[in-house]
Amino acid sequence: MTASPTGPPSGFQTGFPVRPDLVVAAAGPDDVREAVARAASDGLRVTVHATGHGLAGAVEGGVLIDTGRMDSVRIDPVRRTAVIGAGTTWGQVAEAAAPHGLAPLNGSAPGVGAVSYTLGGGLGILGREFGYAADHVRSLDVVTGDGVARHVGPQDEPELFWGLRGGGHRLGVVTGLETGLVPVDRLYGGSLAFDGDGGTAAQVVRRYLEWVRTVPDALTSSVAALVYPDIPQVPEAMRGRYVVSVRVACSGTPAEGERLVAPLRAIGPVLADSLREMPYTDSPAIHNDPPFPHAYYGDGLMLSGLDPEHAVRVLELTGRGAPMMTVVQLNHLGGALATAPSAGNAVPFREAGFLLRLLSPLDGTDVASVRALYEEVARGLAPLAVGRSLNFSFGGGDRTEGFHDARTRERLAGLVSRYDPASLFGGAYGVSRDGR
């Protein structure tokens, strides 16, 4: 174990200060257990940092456990499982599984911590076909707030097993987990990018909402809208434009994929078309999330459904006239995401039909202004909102309401009382989550 009173690890999220009293660069579970025990003896709060994609806010004081060095991955092709360490990224898991014709239920960005993402539920690019990443977890290794290292599974402490899968980071430090893989080695995917000005953005979203009512569970999709800055780092065709993109991932054949996306192509001319058959390991190209560290704030609203009128109002608030750059993404849910595994887990809001994600860069923009815009969007969607997404709340660590329904929240609170009686992990859901 390497411990230092200074020098917190750099991370993907740069918008919030990370100033713990002590940083522990854990090399394995024993280091984590020792760090939790020391924090308990000194009365210090514990936070966890894997890749830093989903920091919920500033880290001030306490012990920060950096699990980035714990990045092991082991594939069992016969059982179709992966055993992964706390610092392992989804990209590492996908690359290790690919030679066996298998794939994990990863999100859109390969640099996200696989364990962190899974604890929050884990919305995968093929989620409608296979469900949440948390639904496929076989077992977990966790150090709870009482300093005990536990192996948790369906037969070993089943109530804690239930809560860790979808309950976030409030119950302990997960040092590794075993998860199921799916037999996918190729997919049909990519995006269609439309010029959103002149009313086209509203047209695309209206057509998208009609289209998703017709697609099978084997197709998972989202629509995104943003005004690109006019800078050299942006592809020339996108610079300064209001772009609306439909992203698609389908495990079917290219012919099936082409048939399914035909209504989208009929919308009109596109700025870019990247739809193609690809190896699963190329799937990050579908969303092209930025790979470099940056400062941002975000939130995610789970919606029972979405009609064109409400959707267009979101575009009006976040498009050309918005007070700051805002990336809007609407994920189509349903399918296997609506069905919990037989033993259940703490993933909430399975009845939601859509997830609306908002994200704003913070360079030159204050958090208060971003919050004000998001609150206006949320007020307009209040009749449709069923809760918030734990994976996609970035920088809003002071806003812990709405992540779980009342019954799930009460059950999780009981687990916190049992496994973290001294509240080492603080707050309702901890302060470190990986998203995307």
Side-chain angles (χ1 to χ4, degrees):
M1 177 178 72
T2 302
S4 171
T6 58
S10 59
F12 191 83
Q13 165 66 277
T14 64
F16 300 89
V18 178
R19 293 187 287 254
D21 296 319
L22 182 70
V23 177
V24 175
D30 288 343
D31 290 345
V32 173
R33 182 177 51 78
E34 183 180 341
V36 171
R38 176 168 176 177
S41 67
D42 294 346
L44 297 174
R45 181 172 173 168
V46 176
T47 59
V48 186
H49 181 127
T51 66
H53 268 72
L55 289 179
V59 176
E60 297 285 356
V63 176
L64 174 63
I65 301 175
D66 176 16
T67 62
R69 297 167 63 190
M70 300 168 61
D71 60 350
S72 61
V73 54
R74 185 173 75 252
I75 306 297
D76 185 331
V78 176
R79 297 179 63 239
R80 291 180 177 176
T81 61
V83 177
I84 55 181
T88 307
T89 65
W90 275 132
Q92 290 174 291
V93 182
E95 290 289 344
H100 308 286
L102 301 171
L105 294 176
N106 55 279
S108 60
V112 165
V115 169
S116 301
Y117 194 57
T118 300
L119 297 182
L123 178 59
I125 60 170
L126 293 176
R128 280 177 39 81
E129 182 171 6
F130 297 108
Y132 287 97
D135 299 341
H136 294 257
V137 174
R138 307 285 184 88
S139 65
L140 306 100
D141 294 300
V142 58
V143 177
T144 47
D146 52 10
V148 177
R150 305 171 188 270
H151 183 73
V152 178
Q155 284 77 46
D156 304 301
E157 303 196 63
E159 185 69 2
L160 183 56
F161 182 60
W162 170 87
L164 286 168
R165 295 171 300 139
H169 296 72
R170 185 63 181 85
L171 298 172
V173 184
V174 172
T175 59
L177 60 77
E178 180 182 23
T179 187
L181 303 172
V182 296
V184 176
D185 60 352
R186 303 187 70 81
L187 55 75
Y188 174 87
S191 69
L192 294 173
F194 299 86
D195 186 338
D197 284 318
T200 304
Q203 179 188 354
V204 172
V205 170
R206 288 177 185 274
R207 295 283 288 274
Y208 176 78
L209 292 174
E210 295 172 358
W211 175 72
V212 294
R213 294 201 298 264
T214 71
V215 299
D217 293 351
L219 189 148
T220 302
S221 67
S222 64
V223 60
L226 72 153
V227 179
Y228 277 97
D230 188 3
I231 57 176
Q233 292 87 341
V234 174
E236 188 172 356
M238 307 291 188
R239 291 177 194 168
R241 291 182 180 269
Y242 183 29
V243 178
V244 181
S245 302
V246 180
R247 289 89 166 263
V248 170
C250 177
S251 64
T253 66
E256 290 170 326
E258 284 292 332
R259 177 180 60 80
L260 290 170
V261 302
L264 299 177
R265 294 191 186 280
I267 293 175
V270 297
L271 296 172
D273 178 351
S274 65
L275 289 169
R276 61 183 174 89
E277 184 187 23
M278 64 179 70
Y280 189 85
T281 49
D282 285 356
S283 62
I286 296 173
H287 291 77
N288 274 323
D289 292 317
F292 48 85
H294 56 287
Y296 53 92
Y297 185 93
D299 205 355
L301 299 176
M302 305 292 283
L303 307 175
S304 59
L306 187 64
D307 57 85
E309 289 70 27
H310 280 95
V312 170
R313 178 56 179 159
V314 172
L315 296 179
E316 291 171 349
L317 291 172
T318 59
R320 286 256 181 226
M324 75 286 297
M325 178 180 175
T326 301
V327 182
V328 175
Q329 180 165 308
L330 183 69
N331 290 81
H332 181 214
L333 305 179
L337 296 167
T339 304
S342 57
N345 58 32
V347 176
F349 311 127
R350 291 183 182 268
E351 72 276 20
F354 294 94
L355 164 63
L356 179 71
R357 295 162 54 181
L358 304 170
L359 186 146
S360 297
L362 290 180
D363 295 333
T365 303
D366 64 283
V367 170
S369 297
V370 177
R371 285 181 179 170
L373 174 62
Y374 288 11
E375 288 168 2
E376 185 174 3
V377 172
R379 283 194 298 271
L381 294 172
L384 305 172
V386 296
R388 294 171 59 219
S389 171
L390 187 58
N391 275 139
F392 300 106
S393 173
F394 307 129
D398 57 327
R399 300 172 297 114
T400 58
E401 74 286 349
F403 288 130
H404 295 89
D405 57 272
R407 184 176 179 181
T408 301
R409 189 167 58 248
E410 182 179 358
R411 191 171 171 185
L412 288 170
L415 288 171
V416 169
S417 297
R418 178 179 176 184
Y419 291 102
D420 185 24
S423 295
L424 290 185
F425 300 105
Y429 302 101
V431 301
S432 177
R433 295 184 294 276
D434 271 24
R436 293 191 188 166

